[in-house]
Amino acid sequence: MTGFRPGRLLLQLSCLLIAIWLVAPTLVVIPMSFADRKSLAFPPQGFSTQWYANFFSNPQWFGSLVVSLKIAAMVAVVATVIGTMAAIGIERLKTRAGGIIRVVLLTPMIVPGVVLAVGIYAVYLDTRLVGTWTGYVLAHTLLAIPFVVIAVGANLAVFDERLETAAASLGASRLTTFFTVTLPLILPGILSGALFAFVTSFDEVIVSLFITSPQLKTLPVQIFSSMTRDADPTVAAVGSLIFLATTLIIGLGLIIGLRRRGA
Amino acid sequence: MNAASNEATCKGAAIDIDGISKFYGGFTALENVSLRVEPGEFMSFLGPSGSGKTTTLNLIAGFTDLSGGDIRLDARSIGHVPAHKRNIGVVFQHYALFPHMSVAQNVAYPLKQRRVGKAERARAVEEALRKVQLDSFAHRYPSELSGGQQQRVALARAMVFGPSLLLMDEPLGALDKKLREVLQLEIKRIHRELGSTFVYVTHDQEEALVLSDRIAVFNRGRIEQVGTGQTLYTAPQTLFVGQFIGESSVLRGPHRSAGGETMLTVAGTALTAPGAANGEGAQVILLRPEAVMVQAPGTGPQEGRCNILSGVVREMLYLGSAMKYEVTLADGSHVTARTPTQGAPFALGATVELAWRPQESVLLADDGSTAGH
């Protein structure tokens, strides 16, 4: 591994550049969040933590975070239950109908968000669901189900169905078999599906912009409207906080995963 | 519900299979099969893949639905009872241990379903694991065990709740030959200790011969013959059975029956076989290698009546205690002979005489079966 190799150096350099290109936009918000003037100029001037304080004390900001977390949690539960049941059904159908149903369930991932948003908005106007909890949860669940179907489906593909036959021979009913054998073994898929569903909802902005109301606003909508109104560095503070939180969660997940594999 | 406590004393159940069939769309997997398995018997289902033996096992276990007929366990109809209510132990070829449970949890699983108390459960699990000599592995996980150990755990799990019937679907199929022989002995011992009825599916005729009280030979969705290993070997009722069990040579030719005997003309020589022809069609003579003597040409019959054929040695194998010859006849057919090693062996290409007593010829209807399992 010694000696000068120009090809290798070039490769390392280009990797580094790509990495910077990928991470830089995320990192830029961190210095901006500590700016002491109400401006989103880069590089920022001075230093203050007032935007963090503003985020936690201003009900507009903090309230929208709570709304987003509540909706995301509900979406995670509903989408995971529906998506898991759908994935199992598709897996067990084993006919062409299963493939068709799968494609139908995955369409929200393929259809452009704006098109979906217009459709949802039109339906919501008639059914008075605009700006309601139910409205948000329904719309976000629709968008999250494909992720659950994919995650659970991947797990089911490697699940050995013969274990269910064995459980039956040992005296377990279909329902007992599901809860004692199938569920524990596809749990990793269900959990990652739930995580995807949570993030999909928490992160969703297009549909939410259409169905939002001044009384019930999610965090991405609040960020968006704040950006269009004025240059409030609170946006950068929110971005930094979310970045910190996701880094912690993913890091923790990696550590747990590595430790379990090592055991 | 004290399923575990009567484990040691449980008696085997009788199985009555009454004209069962299984169709998949237009495909017939099993057609009108009837069979009785006696209480405590070790019965093997032997046959090539796709012969219906595993289908029959799955129907007894309740994993697939009957298309016709009924199955009774000790005179109680179970044909339409769901699998989890049949109380039948099953051991699978692929072990089917629950990977997220320890060995002890796997074995305790059927007891939990039967709501056996905790203390009783622990005792029964320990006893079952001791029976398969894995009592020190209770806290391991299946992935930490070898194939043979996993299958022992599966066996313990299938018998811990004291089922009166144990089904095994090629349980040793995934193991190497040496381990297979060890486990065969263990399965035999466990069968003796439990007294349960065992039904064992295999495509390995040697395994079936070693283990079973009786063997049911399956072919093309039907049972060809049921009998002890000895009956199947010495008195096969069909050419398929004769060729599937043990080594054999098959001689074909025109036949003529008279006076309780049948003459079959093979390569220009008339051969005698006991009994009248089976049905109208073509007949064959089935010969076991050890029944055929190999001698120098012109030796003639040594004692009493003899069938004699002349041929050329094509292959010879020294087996230690015996010599195996592959002899080609004038019509191109082959005869395998196994003789004790004595004197100088015949060389390759030598012309020899094959001699056997007429009663060693097994006369069968030609059902078109060919050797090779």
Short mmCIF file of all heavy atoms in Angstrom, two decimals, chain A residues 11 36 78 214:
data_model
loop_
_atom_site.label_atom_id
_atom_site.label_comp_id
_atom_site.label_asym_id
_atom_site.label_seq_id
_atom_site.Cartn_x
_atom_site.Cartn_y
_atom_site.Cartn_z
N LEU A 11 -9.03 9.45 -7.10
CA LEU A 11 -10.26 8.81 -6.63
C LEU A 11 -10.66 9.35 -5.26
O LEU A 11 -11.81 9.73 -5.02
CB LEU A 11 -10.05 7.29 -6.56
CG LEU A 11 -11.26 6.48 -6.13
CD1 LEU A 11 -12.31 6.46 -7.22
CD2 LEU A 11 -10.85 5.05 -5.79
N ASP A 36 -26.58 36.94 14.77
CA ASP A 36 -27.21 37.83 15.75
C ASP A 36 -28.11 38.87 15.09
O ASP A 36 -28.74 39.67 15.76
CB ASP A 36 -26.16 38.48 16.67
CG ASP A 36 -25.28 39.46 15.93
OD1 ASP A 36 -25.39 39.51 14.68
OD2 ASP A 36 -24.49 40.15 16.58
N VAL A 78 -50.96 4.14 12.19
CA VAL A 78 -51.99 3.74 11.22
C VAL A 78 -51.35 3.12 9.97
O VAL A 78 -51.75 2.05 9.52
CB VAL A 78 -52.88 4.95 10.83
CG1 VAL A 78 -53.91 4.53 9.78
CG2 VAL A 78 -53.58 5.50 12.07
N PRO A 214 -54.61 28.14 9.45
CA PRO A 214 -53.88 28.92 10.46
C PRO A 214 -53.94 28.27 11.84
O PRO A 214 -53.04 28.44 12.65
CB PRO A 214 -54.61 30.26 10.45
CG PRO A 214 -55.29 30.33 9.12
CD PRO A 214 -55.63 28.93 8.76
#
